[in-house]
Amino acid sequence: MSLQKAAITGIGTYVPDDKLTNADLEKMVDTNDEWIVSRTGIKERRILPKGLGLSYMGEHAVKQLLEKTNTDPLDIDLIICATITGDYRFPDTANQIAMKVGANNAYGFELGAACSGFLYALQTGSKFIESGTHKKVIVIGGDVMSSIINYEDRSTCVIFGDGLGAVLLEPSPDEDGIHNAIMKADGSGVDFLFMKAGGSKNPIDAELLVAKEHLVFQNGGPVFKRAVQGMSSTVKDVLALNGLTRDDINWVVPHQANIRIIQTVASMLDFPMERVMVNIEKFGNTTAGTLPLALNDYESKLKKGDKVILTAFGGGFTWGSLYLTWAYDS
Ligand code: UT7
């Protein structure tokens, strides 16, 4: 007996109003618009005002999602929030969002996995639906990267921004929905992309603060190469797992970290860029937010039954690809 599939039945998003443009960054670090656009594809990012936190974006996106899908918040069973920038180290931001939207019957939890967070959370959420124990699961991906970026480090600060998206998962009435995924991790990648201080290994002290080791460090070159390799190989694996070729796929939805990574992955797969979702120019790399923000921007083009592959790579290292067939016409 095949399990009931989990289908995405709606999307809600939130990005802050404040924009950080390449011209703004030129005044902050030694960089220029030409370098940023040609090396990353990014023109601007959104920045959340201090004091609001991830739950503010989550509240707005989930309220929009509930309205769009005509869902009573009291019917939500579970909220999974993929993020590395929750409101607090504890308690959990998923439950803050549940409280703010009136999802009083839901429980929730945060999930790390950095830029692969939404993909990991989508795979996790789908299992709660497939098992039959949960009927309405909200999967959120988003980050307030401006809260952990070193705005003196030109190679890192130009790529990140703030934003969040949320999807509703429900049991599919037919065969459309999330089919399967191939998820990977390699903990030996830790030193290439991480925050050294602030966890239990190196609690923040004055020395670490002065050295700005409570902020994101990235050695971009090796991360770039591993991202290209990880995303292209798992897309190929997920195609093979489902007996599909690239010509069968309507859309690839890649993590938006660098347009050159996206273009290289597409070229390695011999996949036309016209069928690759790209919105990096508007938001930069919002870490766990990129996939739902891209899906939202292309929602009007998605048709029921479209074959879609989501793929991501992030700190950890974590990466993977997920295959779904789109469940509704917008
Ligand atoms: O999202 C999760 C995973 N993260 C990623 O996938 C990010 C992967 N990495 C990248 O996207 C790229 O490595 C970066 C965008 C972070 C950096 O681009 P790059 O092409 O790898 O640059 P680079 O670090 O190799 O630096 C090339 C040159 C250097 O100058 P020299 O040594 O050749 O004189 C840098 O100092 O570009 C310089 N540079 C800059 N110049 C102007 C680095 N950042 C900047 C900048 N503006 N913002």
Side-chain angles (χ1 to χ4, degrees):
M1 192 188 82
S2 67
L3 292 170
Q4 185 157 36
K5 287 192 174 57
I8 294 177
T9 55
I11 312 171
T13 59
Y14 181 82
V15 291
D17 293 335
D18 293 352
K19 291 180 182 174
L20 181 67
T21 65
N22 292 349
D24 295 328
L25 283 162
E26 283 178 11
K27 295 177 201 138
M28 296 160 67
V29 286
D30 180 13
T31 192
N32 58 77
D33 179 60
E34 195 280 326
W35 191 97
I36 301 172
V37 172
S38 64
R39 304 303 292 170
T40 73
I42 302 166
K43 292 184 176 153
E44 59 190 33
R45 328 95 195 107
R46 301 302 179 97
I47 303 293
L48 188 72
K50 282 191 179 131
L52 297 179
L54 188 85
S55 69
Y56 180 87
M57 298 202 295
E59 175 189 355
H60 282 75
V62 171
K63 281 183 173 164
Q64 185 190 77
L65 172 67
L66 294 170
E67 198 180 311
K68 270 172 84 176
T69 56
N70 200 18
T71 302
D72 185 336
L74 295 175
D75 289 340
I76 302 300
D77 303 310
L78 169 64
I79 297 180
I80 306 174
C81 182
T83 190
I84 53 167
T85 52
D87 284 11
Y88 310 104
R89 248 186 98 179
F90 82 95
D92 192 289
T93 305
N95 295 321
Q96 292 295 304
I97 296 169
M99 182 262 298
K100 288 183 175 189
V101 303
N104 298 338
N105 296 318
Y107 69 105
F109 56 87
E110 273 177 33
L111 191 152
C115 296
S116 307
F118 182 77
L119 209 57
Y120 271 45
L122 198 55
Q123 163 83 330
T124 305
S126 72
K127 301 299 166 194
F128 283 88
I129 300 284
E130 285 173 13
S131 70
T133 57
H134 295 62
K135 298 293 179 211
K136 290 184 193 289
V137 175
I138 290 180
V139 174
I140 298 171
D143 275 291
V144 187
M145 292 306 291
S146 62
S147 66
I148 55 170
I149 289 301
N150 178 357
Y151 284 98
E152 292 174 3
D153 174 3
R154 68 176 181 171
S155 66
T156 305
C157 71
V158 297
I159 70 172
F160 289 102
D162 303 340
L164 177 146
V167 297
L168 179 63
L169 291 184
E170 295 181 271
S172 174
D174 51 38
E175 282 305 301
D176 288 330
I178 294 168
H179 291 259
N180 44 48
I182 293 177
M183 297 295 173
K184 301 275 185 183
D186 175 4
S188 70
V190 61
D191 294 342
F192 293 96
L193 176 52
F194 75 139
M195 281 163 55
K196 184 173 180 182
S200 55
K201 189 169 177 184
N202 299 297
I204 292 177
D205 62 23
E207 207 175 307
L208 290 166
L209 264 184
V210 169
K212 296 197 183 293
E213 293 195 333
H214 60 301
L215 301 173
V216 171
F217 168 84
Q218 175 172 255
N219 181 358
V223 177
F224 188 110
K225 290 192 189 95
R226 286 291 299 266
V228 167
Q229 200 272 331
M231 291 201 280
S232 58
S233 66
T234 54
V235 170
K236 282 182 189 158
D237 290 347
V238 101
L239 283 173
L241 180 65
N242 292 282
L244 298 166
T245 71
R246 64 166 193 277
D247 295 334
D248 296 315
I249 300 301
N250 300 94
W251 293 102
V252 169
V253 194
H255 171 52
Q256 315 276 312
N258 187 321
I259 190 65
R260 290 184 298 126
I261 294 178
I262 296 171
Q263 288 164 339
T264 310
V265 169
S267 130
M268 284 172 77
L269 297 167
D270 202 11
F271 195 87
M273 281 301 288
E274 298 77 57
R275 287 190 276 134
V276 178
M277 294 189 187
V278 176
N279 65 354
I280 191 169
E281 69 283 357
K282 293 197 295 184
F283 304 131
N285 181 354
T286 54
T287 300
T290 62
L291 293 180
L293 287 173
L295 281 174
N296 185 62
D297 277 356
Y298 282 80
E299 188 185 21
S300 62
K301 295 187 177 175
L302 282 161
K303 293 189 289 300
K304 181 167 169 55
D306 275 358
K307 295 181 172 65
V308 181
I309 292 182
L310 286 80
T311 185
F313 183 92
F317 295 126
T318 55
W319 69 102
S321 294
L322 179 144
Y323 170 58
L324 59 82
T325 45
W326 196 246
Y328 64 94
D329 291 313
S330 61

